[in-house]
Amino acid sequence: MCSEKSIGQQVKEARERLGLSQSELAGRCRLNIRTIQRIEHKEVKPRLYTLRILDEVLNAGLIGDEDDKMEQEELISLQKEFERKRRIRMGLFIAFVANLAFALIMILSNVPKVVFAPFVYLIAFAIIIGIGVVWRCPGCNGLLGDLFNSNYCPKCGLRLKE
């Protein structure tokens, strides 16, 4: 990979050579415009898969052959993290359904709502917050589209499952 300090400048020069604005480049790469800005201003070191996306659009030679192994390791690590979060989402969804079943049983048993409702609402709220926290891309932290069957991140384009 090219030196860390020159990546932002290379991205900017390649973008300008193609006559693209930062917004247009972000759209073509399916990245957030703020990501492009941070890379160009050397505020962040982009992940290898982000560089791969930029390199494909800009054809700027940002990634060398020696980076392929590092990229594969990073991708495998992110995919494992995604699978871990997917299992957590599924568990939280099951807990949410169980919480609703508990509430229904309490209602059908004629237990006064004042006894159980606050706990049911609190637990449901906590579960929904938990699902929202783990319903994010491990690479860019962007929200994933489909709660149960996401294959790629719509924000950064990371392929999460093969």
Side-chain angles (χ1 to χ4, degrees), residues 1 46-53 63 67 70-71 74:
M1 182 167 48
R47 293 182 180 265
L48 285 170
Y49 71 85
T50 304
L51 281 178
R52 175 82 60 202
I53 292 168
I63 296 180
D67 294 321
M70 283 179 22
E71 180 182 24
E74 180 181 32

Side-chain angles (χ1 to χ4, degrees), residues 131-146:
I131 289 172
V133 167
V134 295
W135 188 11
R136 297 191 168 271
C137 171
C140 69
N141 206 31
L143 281 174
L144 299 173
D146 185 346

Side-chain angles (χ1 to χ4, degrees), residues 1-61:
M1 182 167 48
C2 301
S3 70
E4 187 177 328
K5 292 183 180 182
S6 65
I7 290 173
Q9 187 62 34
Q10 289 180 19
V11 169
K12 182 176 181 178
E13 289 172 2
R15 176 182 59 79
E16 289 173 345
R17 186 177 63 245
L18 294 174
L20 298 173
S21 68
Q22 288 178 335
S23 178
E24 290 169 330
L25 177 60
R28 285 189 184 184
C29 294
R30 296 174 61 194
L31 295 170
N32 190 306
I33 188 170
R34 187 67 185 123
T35 301
I36 303 296
Q37 292 168 343
R38 287 180 177 146
I39 291 170
E40 287 189 3
H41 291 102
K42 302 174 192 164
E43 295 174 18
V44 296
K45 178 182 177 185
R47 293 182 180 265
L48 285 170
Y49 71 85
T50 304
L51 281 178
R52 175 82 60 202
I53 292 168
L54 286 167
D55 194 41
E56 287 174 8
V57 172
L58 297 173
N59 196 22

Side-chain angles (χ1 to χ4, degrees), residues 5 15 26 40 62 104 106-107 109 116 136:
K5 292 183 180 182
R15 176 182 59 79
E40 287 189 3
L62 299 172
L104 183 60
M106 291 292 115
I107 290 169
S109 300
F116 69 89
R136 297 191 168 271

